[in-house]
Amino acid sequence: MHVTLTFDNGPDPEETPKVLAILERYGIRATFFLVAGKLRDPAMREMAVRTHAAGHWIGNHTMSHGLPLGLVPDPDVPAREIDDAQALLGELSHPDRLFRPNGKGRVGRHLLSRGAMDRVVAGRYTVALWGVMPRDGGDPPGWPGRAMAYCEAREWSSVVVHDRVRGGMGFLEPFIEMVLQRGGSFRQESPPDVIPIHRGVLSPWAEMIVNDDPAARAAAFFGEVRP
């Protein structure tokens, strides 16, 4: 059992240092997908520099973490949310130009518009999705068990938690201990089954995350999540 730990939505002045300390204690290297707009704050950029210096990989999690790009009709948004964010990350970014779209917890055609896909391919980004998002914010004590159940059923899993969520990271160390006690190990790279696009090259299933009609898909998406 191999587990890849990834952290979304940071950096955070309180939670990120705690996470870095725990990972260092266990000798684990992870990937941090940053909301790049936060790096306009010098203190937040310094936190990103510290994360990178500790050996963790830095990925692009859009500029603002707004509406999923597959739901946005405005053709100018992908350039701002993807390329402008990448420019802010600069030298901190992983050479593969790792990009994780905002999915509101789900994988599907709401992740990318056709225009966003074109930006990803032209920019030779690597899209890194996830295997399990165990609701570390909604149910902090319960997320390690949910993540563990998913990981034990697979040879290699990518887990997403959030280093900005108050409470959830208090259970990071118990999760790590659980994995190790059950014979698991941690890997920094992501499993191939969560990489639909690698350096701009599409996998056979990449089209499953692309929406050609943002307006129609937005109506369907909100119909699914609102009573």
Side-chain angles (χ1 to χ4, degrees):
M1 174 178 61
H2 302 296
V3 177
T4 296
L5 275 175
T6 67
F7 297 86
D8 283 8
N9 297 10
D12 182 274
E14 296 181 22
E15 295 298 287
T16 303
K18 298 175 187 176
V19 169
L20 293 178
I22 292 170
L23 296 178
E24 184 63 28
R25 187 152 59 246
Y26 286 91
I28 295 170
R29 297 296 176 262
T31 302
F32 288 74
F33 288 92
L34 307 186
V35 178
K38 294 183 176 184
L39 302 193
R40 293 188 177 114
D41 179 338
M44 292 299 92
R45 184 163 193 88
E46 179 56 35
M47 184 57 61
V49 169
R50 177 178 166 186
T51 302
H52 181 266
H56 303 293
W57 293 345
I58 302 295
N60 176 344
H61 196 33
T62 75
M63 180 68 78
S64 67
H65 199 264
L67 197 66
L69 294 176
L71 308 183
V72 180
D74 185 344
D76 295 327
V77 168
R80 294 198 301 267
E81 290 292 325
I82 301 173
D83 295 336
D84 289 359
Q86 189 67 23
L88 267 179
L89 294 179
E91 72 282 359
L92 299 176
S93 175
H94 188 275
D96 281 350
R97 295 166 67 86
L98 300 173
F99 173 67
R100 173 168 285 168
N102 173 26
K104 301 298 182 186
R106 295 189 288 125
V107 172
R109 291 190 179 276
H110 63 292
L111 290 179
L112 297 174
S113 65
R114 180 60 56 182
M117 168 69 95
D118 291 344
R119 303 299 304 189
V120 166
V121 171
R124 296 180 58 81
Y125 291 93
T126 294
V127 174
L129 302 181
W130 56 89
V132 60
M133 194 174 289
R135 294 179 50 233
D136 53 302
D139 177 18
W143 82 257
R146 281 189 294 275
M148 196 69 239
Y150 183 93
C151 293
E152 285 193 302
R154 292 159 180 82
E155 182 178 348
W156 187 4
S157 303
S158 176
V159 177
V160 180
V161 286
H162 302 79
D163 57 326
R164 71 167 184 82
V165 176
R166 303 299 189 271
M169 292 301 89
F171 297 90
L172 175 60
E173 192 162 9
F175 174 68
I176 291 172
E177 287 283 356
M178 196 181 302
V179 171
L180 296 176
Q181 289 168 6
R182 300 185 188 185
S185 62
F186 290 90
R187 300 179 66 169
Q188 190 166 21
E189 64 271 23
S190 292
D193 65 358
V194 302
I195 306 291
I197 304 171
H198 182 257
R199 294 190 174 186
V201 178
L202 279 61
S203 75
W205 59 278
E207 289 289 330
M208 294 175 60
I209 62 169
V210 183
N211 169 26
D212 288 314
D213 189 348
R217 183 59 189 149
F221 178 86
F222 289 120
E224 290 168 8
V225 299
R226 294 177 182 174

